[in-house]
Structures are given as C-alpha cells and as structure tokens.
Amino acid sequence: MPETAIFKDSEADRSFRCKWFANRLVVYGVLLLWAFICLFPIYWTATTSFKMAPNVMKGNLIPWVDFQPAWLGWRSLGLSPDTIGAESTVRDEFMKRFANSVVVSLTSSALAVMMGSLAAYGLSRFRYKFAWMKNDDISFFFLSQLILPPVVLALPFLVLYKELALLDTRVGLILLYTLSVLPIVIWIMKDQFSSIPTELEEAAMVDGLGIWGAFLTIILPIALPGMVAAFILSLVLTWNEYFFAALLTSTHANTLPVMVASQTGSQGISWWSMAALSFAAILPLIVIGVTLERFIIKGMAAGAVK
C-alpha cells in the first residue's frame, strides 16, 4: 500500500514559504545588481587597458568576443611582457610616483590613526571644557573640518608651504594629509572607545595598572579592528587625493593621481594608457581591501551595538 503523509503543510505555511522565497529572491537580486554596478567600473578599467584605439571608440566590452586583447596600454607604461625587461623612462616615472603615494599614504594614515585614537580615547573617557566648548562641541568641531572645501585652503597652504620650504616634498604632503583625515579617524575611534565598558579599565587599575597601562594592554587590543578600519579608510582617501598633490608638488613628490590626470594631450585622451595606469594604481587598494575585509566589517560595526 502506498504510504500517506500524516502531517501536511497548511495553506498558511505554503503561503509563508512562497513569500520567504520571493523575499530572498528580491534581496539577492538587488545585491547582485548593486555588486554589478560597483564592480563594473573596475572591470571596464581593466579591459580598457588591453584595448586598441578602435575598440575603445566602439565601446567593446567582452575580451575575445568583442575584441582581441592587446598590451597597448601596458606597453605605453613599460609594463608589458615585451618591455618589462628593457629600460623605460615612463616606467621609472611610474615607480617614482608609486613610491611617493605609498610613503605619503602609509605614513599619513598611520600618524592620523595614532593621534586620532589618543584624541578619541580622551574624548570618550574624560570630561573637557575649553571656553564654552565641552566634549560634544569639541567632537563636532573636529568633524566640522570636513565641511570646509579644499579650494578655500589652496592659497593659504601655498603661501605657508612656500615660506616653510615644503613645496614639492613628501613631508609637506604627509603633514597635510594627516590633518585632512584626522577628523574621520577621531569620529570612528570615538564610537569604538565609547562602546567599550569602562569597568575593564577600572578592573585593570585595581590590579595596579595606570591609565596608560590599561589603555595599551586592555583597551587597545579590543579597539584594534576599529583602528584597522580607520587606517584603511584614511589610506584610501590619501591614496586617491589629487587636488593638493597637484597644487603643492611639481617634480619630486608627485603622486599617482597626478600622473593619471596627466594622460591627456593635444591629440586627446589616451584611454588605454589612462586605464592601465588607473588599474595599476587601484590594484594595491583592492588587495588590501580583500585581505583585511573582516577587520573593516568588525571595525565599522563595533560601535553600532551598545
């Protein structure tokens, strides 16, 4: 005899299951669409670096289907397989700009995280009063510095750097970049430290540690994901900064964004060269983002739950 099911899904259960699958389908569809929108510029840049001029003008997108990949863009930088072993002035210039970007971005981001973490810890644990400004006012003052347009600071910084002999130097860019990303680091780290219970420090002080000892041995390891997230965000902002790099440097301290913007001439834009240069410039950030993804997620979400 064929077996019959004793328990059967009711109409409400079947309706709920259909709605659940429909909701999941919509959510994943939206996520896939958003991922496509976010990743398409990177794909377009990567494929354009392997296109010839006619392929760029025709808007061909799919390698080996719409066009045959070539090394035109990478050859112009001296980074193609047939030119990598030969001398190349353009490649030497690219490596110099790349080194400038690495040194300036890493140093300024590290300095901003160090100073910003100390400032954020002080604002989250102690009470200050400067004239009419208290902790919340001081925090808002730091954050308000982001509202100021960079072009307003162009002339003052140009005059100041000329007087201090900091034009076209890495030190000048490091100081300016540290100042520009410091408010963001303070904003992120203040939420990080505020989400950590003060009882941990009190227990550490009872055991004989001072304020610095409790901060370095107890609080800092807990806030490390937030510091990594702040560092990566600062690194992205300083790596991609163009305005001040173009304004305050000329020969020795130029960074990659300035070199990317210079790929225009009297004959128009060399899209293949600009694409190759742009992809080479963003590749380190992609590697860092993928490698440290878990730290970014933990760091940005740590202050959300209290």
Side-chain angles (χ1 to χ4, degrees):
M1 288 181 63
E3 296 182 0
T4 58
I6 300 176
F7 301 101
K8 297 181 180 180
D9 292 337
S10 64
E11 291 294 332
D13 292 333
R14 285 195 289 267
S15 176
F16 174 78
R17 183 173 299 177
C18 292
K19 290 181 180 179
W20 186 85
F21 278 114
N23 290 335
R24 302 293 287 184
L25 186 62
V26 171
V27 169
Y28 282 113
V30 171
L31 290 177
L32 287 174
L33 178 62
W34 182 247
F36 174 79
I37 294 174
C38 294
L39 295 178
F40 180 78
I42 299 177
Y43 170 80
W44 184 89
T45 303
T47 55
T48 301
S49 66
F50 293 97
K51 294 178 183 178
M52 303 291 287
N55 304 131
V56 175
M57 302 307 171
K58 293 178 181 179
N60 297 332
L61 291 176
I62 305 176
W64 293 287
V65 177
D66 290 339
F67 68 95
Q68 188 66 27
W71 291 92
L72 181 62
W74 299 96
R75 188 177 295 112
S76 64
L77 298 178
L79 296 175
S80 62
D82 57 332
T83 59
I84 194 68
E87 294 185 3
S88 174
T89 305
V90 180
R91 184 177 65 244
D92 294 340
E93 186 67 18
F94 167 77
M95 295 306 298
K96 185 180 77 170
R97 306 287 183 90
F98 185 84
N100 288 339
S101 293
V102 169
V103 172
V104 170
S105 300
L106 289 178
T107 307
S108 58
S109 299
L111 289 175
V113 170
M114 289 173 57
M115 294 188 293
S117 297
L118 294 177
Y121 181 74
L123 289 171
S124 65
R125 289 297 190 267
F126 306 101
R127 292 291 171 261
Y128 299 97
K129 185 176 181 182
F130 181 76
W132 74 92
M133 300 176 64
K134 297 182 180 180
N135 283 45
D136 292 339
D137 301 316
I138 296 173
S139 300
F140 178 76
F141 171 77
F142 283 126
L143 195 60
S144 66
Q145 305 307 303
L146 300 174
I147 303 174
L148 196 64
V151 69
V152 176
L153 304 174
L155 185 58
F157 269 108
L158 191 60
V159 175
L160 178 64
Y161 272 40
K162 183 178 180 181
E163 293 296 326
L164 298 178
L166 290 175
L167 289 177
D168 200 20
T169 62
R170 289 179 177 177
V171 175
L173 285 183
I174 289 172
L175 294 176
L176 180 57
Y177 286 0
T178 302
L179 182 65
S180 64
V181 298
L182 193 58
I184 300 177
V185 175
I186 295 176
W187 175 49
I188 294 175
M189 294 309 301
K190 185 174 182 296
D191 282 344
Q192 295 290 315
F193 291 128
S194 297
S195 65
I196 301 175
T198 57
E199 288 79 9
L200 295 177
E201 294 150 286
E202 295 172 356
M205 292 180 191
V206 170
D207 291 338
L209 292 177
I211 294 177
W212 280 103
F215 173 73
L216 295 175
T217 59
I218 305 297
I219 303 302
L220 205 60
I222 298 176
L224 185 60
M227 296 179 68
V228 174
F231 176 81
I232 294 175
L233 181 59
S234 302
L235 184 65
V236 171
L237 293 175
T238 54
W239 184 275
N240 295 325
E241 203 282 326
Y242 167 77
F243 179 75
F244 286 113
L247 177 69
L248 302 176
T249 63
S250 57
T251 306
H252 302 291
N254 272 352
T255 55
L256 277 178
V258 180
M259 188 176 183
V260 173
S262 66
Q263 300 301 308
T264 57
S266 57
Q267 297 181 353
I269 302 175
S270 300
W271 293 105
W272 41 92
S273 300
M274 182 176 287
L277 186 57
S278 300
F279 187 73
I282 65 176
L283 188 59
L285 297 181
I286 295 175
V287 174
I288 292 174
V290 172
T291 305
L292 302 179
E293 176 189 5
R294 61 189 183 94
F295 289 100
I296 299 175
I297 297 175
K298 289 174 60 179
M300 298 305 290
V305 181
K306 298 182 180 180

